[in-house]
Amino acid sequence: MEAVYMSTPSLPKKVWDKVGILLSSACLVHCVGLLVIPFLLPALGAFFHSPWVHRFFAAFILIVTPMAFMPGYRRHGMSRVLVQAGLGIAFILAGVATDGVLPELASHGFSVVGSLMLVGAHVQNLRHSRRSCC
């Protein structure tokens, strides 16, 4: 009975990291896609370029990130993974905050760097959590 209890809590932790990877990757695809989409489909480019899309991604990332990293950190204790995740979030928030203030390339550049950092941190969190599980 104890083995079932020990393995059950790890499933949601893995799910949150995978959701985080999905969200960060979607943010990355969104920011990179905005360089191409307006030329191919101008109406679609205008819809996805709205500031609400950036705020939407940032809000979900702010919700998912702690749910993924705190249990992983408790398991593996590697603070560099938390630091990388924190920097990723900071870059994404900088991208949201500078949208419309700085040139588009700069604000989207912040978001791209932040998304790449978060994807890397989620992958490390999963990897180190698996190694520390037993």
PDB file of all heavy atoms in Angstrom, residues 24-58:
ATOM      1  N   SER A  24       5.273  27.332 -22.236  1.00  0.00           N
ATOM      2  CA  SER A  24       6.465  28.087 -22.625  1.00  0.00           C
ATOM      3  C   SER A  24       6.770  27.905 -24.106  1.00  0.00           C
ATOM      4  O   SER A  24       7.161  28.858 -24.788  1.00  0.00           O
ATOM      5  CB  SER A  24       7.663  27.643 -21.787  1.00  0.00           C
ATOM      6  OG  SER A  24       7.444  27.916 -20.430  1.00  0.00           O
ATOM      7  N   SER A  25       6.562  26.706 -24.608  1.00  0.00           N
ATOM      8  CA  SER A  25       6.775  26.451 -26.038  1.00  0.00           C
ATOM      9  C   SER A  25       5.741  27.190 -26.875  1.00  0.00           C
ATOM     10  O   SER A  25       6.069  27.734 -27.941  1.00  0.00           O
ATOM     11  CB  SER A  25       6.709  24.952 -26.333  1.00  0.00           C
ATOM     12  OG  SER A  25       7.740  24.280 -25.656  1.00  0.00           O
ATOM     13  N   ALA A  26       4.503  27.225 -26.407  1.00  0.00           N
ATOM     14  CA  ALA A  26       3.455  27.952 -27.129  1.00  0.00           C
ATOM     15  C   ALA A  26       3.787  29.439 -27.169  1.00  0.00           C
ATOM     16  O   ALA A  26       3.595  30.106 -28.194  1.00  0.00           O
ATOM     17  CB  ALA A  26       2.095  27.723 -26.479  1.00  0.00           C
ATOM     18  N   CYS A  27       4.301  29.965 -26.078  1.00  0.00           N
ATOM     19  CA  CYS A  27       4.715  31.370 -26.029  1.00  0.00           C
ATOM     20  C   CYS A  27       5.846  31.610 -27.030  1.00  0.00           C
ATOM     21  O   CYS A  27       5.845  32.597 -27.768  1.00  0.00           O
ATOM     22  CB  CYS A  27       5.163  31.713 -24.616  1.00  0.00           C
ATOM     23  SG  CYS A  27       5.583  33.436 -24.363  1.00  0.00           S
ATOM     24  N   LEU A  28       6.783  30.690 -27.066  1.00  0.00           N
ATOM     25  CA  LEU A  28       7.904  30.798 -28.000  1.00  0.00           C
ATOM     26  C   LEU A  28       7.422  30.764 -29.450  1.00  0.00           C
ATOM     27  O   LEU A  28       7.803  31.604 -30.268  1.00  0.00           O
ATOM     28  CB  LEU A  28       8.891  29.662 -27.738  1.00  0.00           C
ATOM     29  CG  LEU A  28      10.130  29.600 -28.607  1.00  0.00           C
ATOM     30  CD1 LEU A  28      10.998  30.818 -28.385  1.00  0.00           C
ATOM     31  CD2 LEU A  28      10.899  28.327 -28.306  1.00  0.00           C
ATOM     32  N   VAL A  29       6.547  29.811 -29.761  1.00  0.00           N
ATOM     33  CA  VAL A  29       5.998  29.702 -31.119  1.00  0.00           C
ATOM     34  C   VAL A  29       5.224  30.974 -31.471  1.00  0.00           C
ATOM     35  O   VAL A  29       5.321  31.488 -32.585  1.00  0.00           O
ATOM     36  CB  VAL A  29       5.111  28.447 -31.261  1.00  0.00           C
ATOM     37  CG1 VAL A  29       4.302  28.466 -32.544  1.00  0.00           C
ATOM     38  CG2 VAL A  29       5.977  27.192 -31.185  1.00  0.00           C
ATOM     39  N   HIS A  30       4.469  31.483 -30.522  1.00  0.00           N
ATOM     40  CA  HIS A  30       3.709  32.712 -30.733  1.00  0.00           C
ATOM     41  C   HIS A  30       4.637  33.880 -31.090  1.00  0.00           C
ATOM     42  O   HIS A  30       4.408  34.583 -32.071  1.00  0.00           O
ATOM     43  CB  HIS A  30       2.891  33.037 -29.479  1.00  0.00           C
ATOM     44  CG  HIS A  30       2.370  34.427 -29.446  1.00  0.00           C
ATOM     45  ND1 HIS A  30       1.266  34.829 -30.156  1.00  0.00           N
ATOM     46  CD2 HIS A  30       2.822  35.519 -28.791  1.00  0.00           C
ATOM     47  CE1 HIS A  30       1.052  36.112 -29.930  1.00  0.00           C
ATOM     48  NE2 HIS A  30       1.980  36.554 -29.109  1.00  0.00           N
ATOM     49  N   CYS A  31       5.682  34.068 -30.286  1.00  0.00           N
ATOM     50  CA  CYS A  31       6.573  35.209 -30.512  1.00  0.00           C
ATOM     51  C   CYS A  31       7.349  35.081 -31.817  1.00  0.00           C
ATOM     52  O   CYS A  31       7.498  36.063 -32.547  1.00  0.00           O
ATOM     53  CB  CYS A  31       7.542  35.351 -29.340  1.00  0.00           C
ATOM     54  SG  CYS A  31       6.738  35.928 -27.845  1.00  0.00           S
ATOM     55  N   VAL A  32       7.830  33.900 -32.114  1.00  0.00           N
ATOM     56  CA  VAL A  32       8.565  33.693 -33.362  1.00  0.00           C
ATOM     57  C   VAL A  32       7.597  33.745 -34.550  1.00  0.00           C
ATOM     58  O   VAL A  32       7.910  34.310 -35.593  1.00  0.00           O
ATOM     59  CB  VAL A  32       9.352  32.369 -33.322  1.00  0.00           C
ATOM     60  CG1 VAL A  32       9.969  32.059 -34.660  1.00  0.00           C
ATOM     61  CG2 VAL A  32      10.435  32.440 -32.251  1.00  0.00           C
ATOM     62  N   GLY A  33       6.417  33.174 -34.373  1.00  0.00           N
ATOM     63  CA  GLY A  33       5.420  33.171 -35.446  1.00  0.00           C
ATOM     64  C   GLY A  33       4.960  34.565 -35.834  1.00  0.00           C
ATOM     65  O   GLY A  33       4.581  34.803 -36.980  1.00  0.00           O
ATOM     66  N   LEU A  34       4.999  35.490 -34.876  1.00  0.00           N
ATOM     67  CA  LEU A  34       4.570  36.854 -35.181  1.00  0.00           C
ATOM     68  C   LEU A  34       5.495  37.552 -36.174  1.00  0.00           C
ATOM     69  O   LEU A  34       5.135  38.575 -36.737  1.00  0.00           O
ATOM     70  CB  LEU A  34       4.463  37.685 -33.906  1.00  0.00           C
ATOM     71  CG  LEU A  34       3.204  37.430 -33.102  1.00  0.00           C
ATOM     72  CD1 LEU A  34       3.213  38.236 -31.817  1.00  0.00           C
ATOM     73  CD2 LEU A  34       1.958  37.746 -33.907  1.00  0.00           C
ATOM     74  N   LEU A  35       6.649  36.983 -36.382  1.00  0.00           N
ATOM     75  CA  LEU A  35       7.542  37.536 -37.396  1.00  0.00           C
ATOM     76  C   LEU A  35       7.108  37.135 -38.800  1.00  0.00           C
ATOM     77  O   LEU A  35       7.398  37.824 -39.763  1.00  0.00           O
ATOM     78  CB  LEU A  35       8.979  37.073 -37.145  1.00  0.00           C
ATOM     79  CG  LEU A  35       9.588  37.489 -35.816  1.00  0.00           C
ATOM     80  CD1 LEU A  35      10.934  36.812 -35.626  1.00  0.00           C
ATOM     81  CD2 LEU A  35       9.715  38.993 -35.722  1.00  0.00           C
ATOM     82  N   VAL A  36       6.400  35.992 -38.913  1.00  0.00           N
ATOM     83  CA  VAL A  36       6.039  35.436 -40.223  1.00  0.00           C
ATOM     84  C   VAL A  36       4.545  35.587 -40.528  1.00  0.00           C
ATOM     85  O   VAL A  36       4.177  35.917 -41.648  1.00  0.00           O
ATOM     86  CB  VAL A  36       6.436  33.943 -40.280  1.00  0.00           C
ATOM     87  CG1 VAL A  36       6.042  33.330 -41.596  1.00  0.00           C
ATOM     88  CG2 VAL A  36       7.932  33.781 -40.040  1.00  0.00           C
ATOM     89  N   ILE A  37       3.703  35.357 -39.543  1.00  0.00           N
ATOM     90  CA  ILE A  37       2.248  35.322 -39.758  1.00  0.00           C
ATOM     91  C   ILE A  37       1.694  36.601 -40.398  1.00  0.00           C
ATOM     92  O   ILE A  37       0.888  36.514 -41.312  1.00  0.00           O
ATOM     93  CB  ILE A  37       1.502  34.981 -38.447  1.00  0.00           C
ATOM     94  CG1 ILE A  37       1.755  33.518 -38.093  1.00  0.00           C
ATOM     95  CG2 ILE A  37       0.008  35.232 -38.575  1.00  0.00           C
ATOM     96  CD1 ILE A  37       1.175  33.102 -36.761  1.00  0.00           C
ATOM     97  N   PRO A  38       2.107  37.798 -39.959  1.00  0.00           N
ATOM     98  CA  PRO A  38       1.525  38.999 -40.576  1.00  0.00           C
ATOM     99  C   PRO A  38       1.742  39.092 -42.088  1.00  0.00           C
ATOM    100  O   PRO A  38       0.926  39.675 -42.794  1.00  0.00           O
ATOM    101  CB  PRO A  38       2.232  40.154 -39.859  1.00  0.00           C
ATOM    102  CG  PRO A  38       2.635  39.586 -38.558  1.00  0.00           C
ATOM    103  CD  PRO A  38       2.962  38.141 -38.830  1.00  0.00           C
ATOM    104  N   PHE A  39       2.815  38.507 -42.563  1.00  0.00           N
ATOM    105  CA  PHE A  39       3.061  38.528 -44.010  1.00  0.00           C
ATOM    106  C   PHE A  39       2.175  37.537 -44.753  1.00  0.00           C
ATOM    107  O   PHE A  39       1.760  37.771 -45.877  1.00  0.00           O
ATOM    108  CB  PHE A  39       4.535  38.218 -44.309  1.00  0.00           C
ATOM    109  CG  PHE A  39       5.467  39.258 -43.786  1.00  0.00           C
ATOM    110  CD1 PHE A  39       6.330  38.968 -42.747  1.00  0.00           C
ATOM    111  CD2 PHE A  39       5.466  40.547 -44.309  1.00  0.00           C
ATOM    112  CE1 PHE A  39       7.193  39.929 -42.246  1.00  0.00           C
ATOM    113  CE2 PHE A  39       6.328  41.514 -43.809  1.00  0.00           C
ATOM    114  CZ  PHE A  39       7.187  41.204 -42.775  1.00  0.00           C
ATOM    115  N   LEU A  40       1.880  36.409 -44.099  1.00  0.00           N
ATOM    116  CA  LEU A  40       1.078  35.363 -44.733  1.00  0.00           C
ATOM    117  C   LEU A  40      -0.416  35.601 -44.557  1.00  0.00           C
ATOM    118  O   LEU A  40      -1.189  35.483 -45.498  1.00  0.00           O
ATOM    119  CB  LEU A  40       1.462  33.993 -44.168  1.00  0.00           C
ATOM    120  CG  LEU A  40       2.928  33.591 -44.318  1.00  0.00           C
ATOM    121  CD1 LEU A  40       3.192  32.278 -43.601  1.00  0.00           C
ATOM    122  CD2 LEU A  40       3.305  33.484 -45.791  1.00  0.00           C
ATOM    123  N   LEU A  41      -0.809  35.918 -43.331  1.00  0.00           N
ATOM    124  CA  LEU A  41      -2.229  36.113 -43.003  1.00  0.00           C
ATOM    125  C   LEU A  41      -2.366  37.371 -42.140  1.00  0.00           C
ATOM    126  O   LEU A  41      -2.351  37.288 -40.911  1.00  0.00           O
ATOM    127  CB  LEU A  41      -2.769  34.900 -42.249  1.00  0.00           C
ATOM    128  CG  LEU A  41      -2.628  33.550 -42.956  1.00  0.00           C
ATOM    129  CD1 LEU A  41      -2.846  32.419 -41.978  1.00  0.00           C
ATOM    130  CD2 LEU A  41      -3.620  33.460 -44.096  1.00  0.00           C
ATOM    131  N   PRO A  42      -2.484  38.534 -42.741  1.00  0.00           N
ATOM    132  CA  PRO A  42      -2.498  39.787 -41.975  1.00  0.00           C
ATOM    133  C   PRO A  42      -3.570  39.849 -40.883  1.00  0.00           C
ATOM    134  O   PRO A  42      -3.303  40.328 -39.790  1.00  0.00           O
ATOM    135  CB  PRO A  42      -2.738  40.858 -43.037  1.00  0.00           C
ATOM    136  CG  PRO A  42      -2.294  40.247 -44.316  1.00  0.00           C
ATOM    137  CD  PRO A  42      -2.552  38.777 -44.183  1.00  0.00           C
ATOM    138  N   ALA A  43      -4.770  39.360 -41.150  1.00  0.00           N
ATOM    139  CA  ALA A  43      -5.840  39.427 -40.137  1.00  0.00           C
ATOM    140  C   ALA A  43      -5.501  38.561 -38.932  1.00  0.00           C
ATOM    141  O   ALA A  43      -5.719  38.954 -37.780  1.00  0.00           O
ATOM    142  CB  ALA A  43      -7.170  38.989 -40.740  1.00  0.00           C
ATOM    143  N   LEU A  44      -4.962  37.391 -39.177  1.00  0.00           N
ATOM    144  CA  LEU A  44      -4.574  36.487 -38.088  1.00  0.00           C
ATOM    145  C   LEU A  44      -3.418  37.089 -37.291  1.00  0.00           C
ATOM    146  O   LEU A  44      -3.377  36.985 -36.066  1.00  0.00           O
ATOM    147  CB  LEU A  44      -4.195  35.120 -38.660  1.00  0.00           C
ATOM    148  CG  LEU A  44      -4.061  33.976 -37.680  1.00  0.00           C
ATOM    149  CD1 LEU A  44      -5.375  33.728 -36.958  1.00  0.00           C
ATOM    150  CD2 LEU A  44      -3.615  32.725 -38.403  1.00  0.00           C
ATOM    151  N   GLY A  45      -2.505  37.744 -37.995  1.00  0.00           N
ATOM    152  CA  GLY A  45      -1.382  38.406 -37.328  1.00  0.00           C
ATOM    153  C   GLY A  45      -1.854  39.496 -36.387  1.00  0.00           C
ATOM    154  O   GLY A  45      -1.343  39.625 -35.274  1.00  0.00           O
ATOM    155  N   ALA A  46      -2.837  40.286 -36.811  1.00  0.00           N
ATOM    156  CA  ALA A  46      -3.369  41.354 -35.963  1.00  0.00           C
ATOM    157  C   ALA A  46      -4.056  40.786 -34.724  1.00  0.00           C
ATOM    158  O   ALA A  46      -3.931  41.325 -33.628  1.00  0.00           O
ATOM    159  CB  ALA A  46      -4.345  42.211 -36.754  1.00  0.00           C
ATOM    160  N   PHE A  47      -4.764  39.667 -34.870  1.00  0.00           N
ATOM    161  CA  PHE A  47      -5.458  39.044 -33.742  1.00  0.00           C
ATOM    162  C   PHE A  47      -4.459  38.525 -32.709  1.00  0.00           C
ATOM    163  O   PHE A  47      -4.599  38.772 -31.520  1.00  0.00           O
ATOM    164  CB  PHE A  47      -6.348  37.902 -34.242  1.00  0.00           C
ATOM    165  CG  PHE A  47      -7.022  37.140 -33.141  1.00  0.00           C
ATOM    166  CD1 PHE A  47      -8.084  37.675 -32.451  1.00  0.00           C
ATOM    167  CD2 PHE A  47      -6.571  35.880 -32.788  1.00  0.00           C
ATOM    168  CE1 PHE A  47      -8.702  36.981 -31.431  1.00  0.00           C
ATOM    169  CE2 PHE A  47      -7.178  35.166 -31.770  1.00  0.00           C
ATOM    170  CZ  PHE A  47      -8.245  35.722 -31.091  1.00  0.00           C
ATOM    171  N   PHE A  48      -3.447  37.813 -33.161  1.00  0.00           N
ATOM    172  CA  PHE A  48      -2.490  37.208 -32.234  1.00  0.00           C
ATOM    173  C   PHE A  48      -1.450  38.193 -31.712  1.00  0.00           C
ATOM    174  O   PHE A  48      -0.724  37.886 -30.792  1.00  0.00           O
ATOM    175  CB  PHE A  48      -1.794  36.007 -32.882  1.00  0.00           C
ATOM    176  CG  PHE A  48      -2.647  34.787 -32.875  1.00  0.00           C
ATOM    177  CD1 PHE A  48      -3.175  34.298 -34.058  1.00  0.00           C
ATOM    178  CD2 PHE A  48      -2.950  34.139 -31.703  1.00  0.00           C
ATOM    179  CE1 PHE A  48      -3.988  33.174 -34.058  1.00  0.00           C
ATOM    180  CE2 PHE A  48      -3.758  33.020 -31.685  1.00  0.00           C
ATOM    181  CZ  PHE A  48      -4.275  32.537 -32.869  1.00  0.00           C
ATOM    182  N   HIS A  49      -1.385  39.368 -32.303  1.00  0.00           N
ATOM    183  CA  HIS A  49      -0.418  40.355 -31.849  1.00  0.00           C
ATOM    184  C   HIS A  49      -0.984  41.228 -30.735  1.00  0.00           C
ATOM    185  O   HIS A  49      -0.301  42.082 -30.194  1.00  0.00           O
ATOM    186  CB  HIS A  49       0.044  41.223 -33.030  1.00  0.00           C
ATOM    187  CG  HIS A  49       1.206  42.074 -32.675  1.00  0.00           C
ATOM    188  ND1 HIS A  49       1.075  43.392 -32.329  1.00  0.00           N
ATOM    189  CD2 HIS A  49       2.520  41.786 -32.569  1.00  0.00           C
ATOM    190  CE1 HIS A  49       2.262  43.891 -32.049  1.00  0.00           C
ATOM    191  NE2 HIS A  49       3.155  42.940 -32.183  1.00  0.00           N
ATOM    192  N   SER A  50      -2.211  41.016 -30.354  1.00  0.00           N
ATOM    193  CA  SER A  50      -2.849  41.818 -29.309  1.00  0.00           C
ATOM    194  C   SER A  50      -2.137  41.648 -27.968  1.00  0.00           C
ATOM    195  O   SER A  50      -1.674  40.562 -27.639  1.00  0.00           O
ATOM    196  CB  SER A  50      -4.309  41.394 -29.141  1.00  0.00           C
ATOM    197  OG  SER A  50      -5.009  41.594 -30.335  1.00  0.00           O
ATOM    198  N   PRO A  51      -2.068  42.722 -27.180  1.00  0.00           N
ATOM    199  CA  PRO A  51      -1.424  42.633 -25.865  1.00  0.00           C
ATOM    200  C   PRO A  51      -2.090  41.615 -24.938  1.00  0.00           C
ATOM    201  O   PRO A  51      -1.427  41.046 -24.079  1.00  0.00           O
ATOM    202  CB  PRO A  51      -1.576  44.043 -25.290  1.00  0.00           C
ATOM    203  CG  PRO A  51      -1.748  44.925 -26.466  1.00  0.00           C
ATOM    204  CD  PRO A  51      -2.454  44.089 -27.503  1.00  0.00           C
ATOM    205  N   TRP A  52      -3.379  41.335 -25.134  1.00  0.00           N
ATOM    206  CA  TRP A  52      -4.054  40.372 -24.258  1.00  0.00           C
ATOM    207  C   TRP A  52      -3.444  38.977 -24.395  1.00  0.00           C
ATOM    208  O   TRP A  52      -3.446  38.210 -23.426  1.00  0.00           O
ATOM    209  CB  TRP A  52      -5.562  40.329 -24.519  1.00  0.00           C
ATOM    210  CG  TRP A  52      -5.966  39.689 -25.817  1.00  0.00           C
ATOM    211  CD1 TRP A  52      -6.188  40.321 -27.005  1.00  0.00           C
ATOM    212  CD2 TRP A  52      -6.182  38.296 -26.069  1.00  0.00           C
ATOM    213  NE1 TRP A  52      -6.539  39.406 -27.972  1.00  0.00           N
ATOM    214  CE2 TRP A  52      -6.532  38.153 -27.428  1.00  0.00           C
ATOM    215  CE3 TRP A  52      -6.112  37.152 -25.285  1.00  0.00           C
ATOM    216  CZ2 TRP A  52      -6.802  36.927 -28.011  1.00  0.00           C
ATOM    217  CZ3 TRP A  52      -6.378  35.923 -25.864  1.00  0.00           C
ATOM    218  CH2 TRP A  52      -6.724  35.820 -27.210  1.00  0.00           C
ATOM    219  N   VAL A  53      -2.924  38.643 -25.558  1.00  0.00           N
ATOM    220  CA  VAL A  53      -2.321  37.318 -25.750  1.00  0.00           C
ATOM    221  C   VAL A  53      -1.080  37.186 -24.875  1.00  0.00           C
ATOM    222  O   VAL A  53      -0.888  36.167 -24.192  1.00  0.00           O
ATOM    223  CB  VAL A  53      -1.980  37.069 -27.236  1.00  0.00           C
ATOM    224  CG1 VAL A  53      -1.255  35.754 -27.421  1.00  0.00           C
ATOM    225  CG2 VAL A  53      -3.234  37.105 -28.089  1.00  0.00           C
ATOM    226  N   HIS A  54      -0.260  38.225 -24.834  1.00  0.00           N
ATOM    227  CA  HIS A  54       0.944  38.184 -24.001  1.00  0.00           C
ATOM    228  C   HIS A  54       0.573  38.098 -22.523  1.00  0.00           C
ATOM    229  O   HIS A  54       1.180  37.346 -21.776  1.00  0.00           O
ATOM    230  CB  HIS A  54       1.806  39.418 -24.242  1.00  0.00           C
ATOM    231  CG  HIS A  54       2.365  39.477 -25.619  1.00  0.00           C
ATOM    232  ND1 HIS A  54       2.872  40.631 -26.166  1.00  0.00           N
ATOM    233  CD2 HIS A  54       2.501  38.533 -26.582  1.00  0.00           C
ATOM    234  CE1 HIS A  54       3.301  40.387 -27.383  1.00  0.00           C
ATOM    235  NE2 HIS A  54       3.064  39.118 -27.665  1.00  0.00           N
ATOM    236  N   ARG A  55      -0.415  38.867 -22.125  1.00  0.00           N
ATOM    237  CA  ARG A  55      -0.852  38.845 -20.719  1.00  0.00           C
ATOM    238  C   ARG A  55      -1.441  37.486 -20.355  1.00  0.00           C
ATOM    239  O   ARG A  55      -1.247  36.985 -19.241  1.00  0.00           O
ATOM    240  CB  ARG A  55      -1.855  39.958 -20.472  1.00  0.00           C
ATOM    241  CG  ARG A  55      -1.224  41.324 -20.566  1.00  0.00           C
ATOM    242  CD  ARG A  55      -2.225  42.425 -20.279  1.00  0.00           C
ATOM    243  NE  ARG A  55      -1.640  43.701 -20.626  1.00  0.00           N
ATOM    244  CZ  ARG A  55      -2.169  44.546 -21.494  1.00  0.00           C
ATOM    245  NH1 ARG A  55      -3.323  44.287 -22.064  1.00  0.00           N
ATOM    246  NH2 ARG A  55      -1.564  45.683 -21.758  1.00  0.00           N
ATOM    247  N   PHE A  56      -2.175  36.891 -21.291  1.00  0.00           N
ATOM    248  CA  PHE A  56      -2.772  35.576 -21.084  1.00  0.00           C
ATOM    249  C   PHE A  56      -1.683  34.525 -20.837  1.00  0.00           C
ATOM    250  O   PHE A  56      -1.744  33.766 -19.872  1.00  0.00           O
ATOM    251  CB  PHE A  56      -3.614  35.215 -22.315  1.00  0.00           C
ATOM    252  CG  PHE A  56      -4.234  33.859 -22.284  1.00  0.00           C
ATOM    253  CD1 PHE A  56      -5.384  33.623 -21.554  1.00  0.00           C
ATOM    254  CD2 PHE A  56      -3.675  32.804 -22.998  1.00  0.00           C
ATOM    255  CE1 PHE A  56      -5.966  32.367 -21.526  1.00  0.00           C
ATOM    256  CE2 PHE A  56      -4.247  31.549 -22.981  1.00  0.00           C
ATOM    257  CZ  PHE A  56      -5.396  31.331 -22.241  1.00  0.00           C
ATOM    258  N   PHE A  57      -0.685  34.487 -21.723  1.00  0.00           N
ATOM    259  CA  PHE A  57       0.416  33.533 -21.546  1.00  0.00           C
ATOM    260  C   PHE A  57       1.149  33.789 -20.233  1.00  0.00           C
ATOM    261  O   PHE A  57       1.462  32.859 -19.493  1.00  0.00           O
ATOM    262  CB  PHE A  57       1.416  33.621 -22.706  1.00  0.00           C
ATOM    263  CG  PHE A  57       1.020  32.821 -23.912  1.00  0.00           C
ATOM    264  CD1 PHE A  57       0.850  33.441 -25.139  1.00  0.00           C
ATOM    265  CD2 PHE A  57       0.827  31.448 -23.839  1.00  0.00           C
ATOM    266  CE1 PHE A  57       0.497  32.714 -26.260  1.00  0.00           C
ATOM    267  CE2 PHE A  57       0.477  30.711 -24.959  1.00  0.00           C
ATOM    268  CZ  PHE A  57       0.309  31.341 -26.169  1.00  0.00           C
ATOM    269  N   ALA A  58       1.436  35.046 -19.935  1.00  0.00           N
ATOM    270  CA  ALA A  58       2.164  35.391 -18.716  1.00  0.00           C
ATOM    271  C   ALA A  58       1.379  34.964 -17.472  1.00  0.00           C
ATOM    272  O   ALA A  58       1.956  34.427 -16.525  1.00  0.00           O
ATOM    273  CB  ALA A  58       2.464  36.883 -18.674  1.00  0.00           C
TER     274      ALA A  58
END
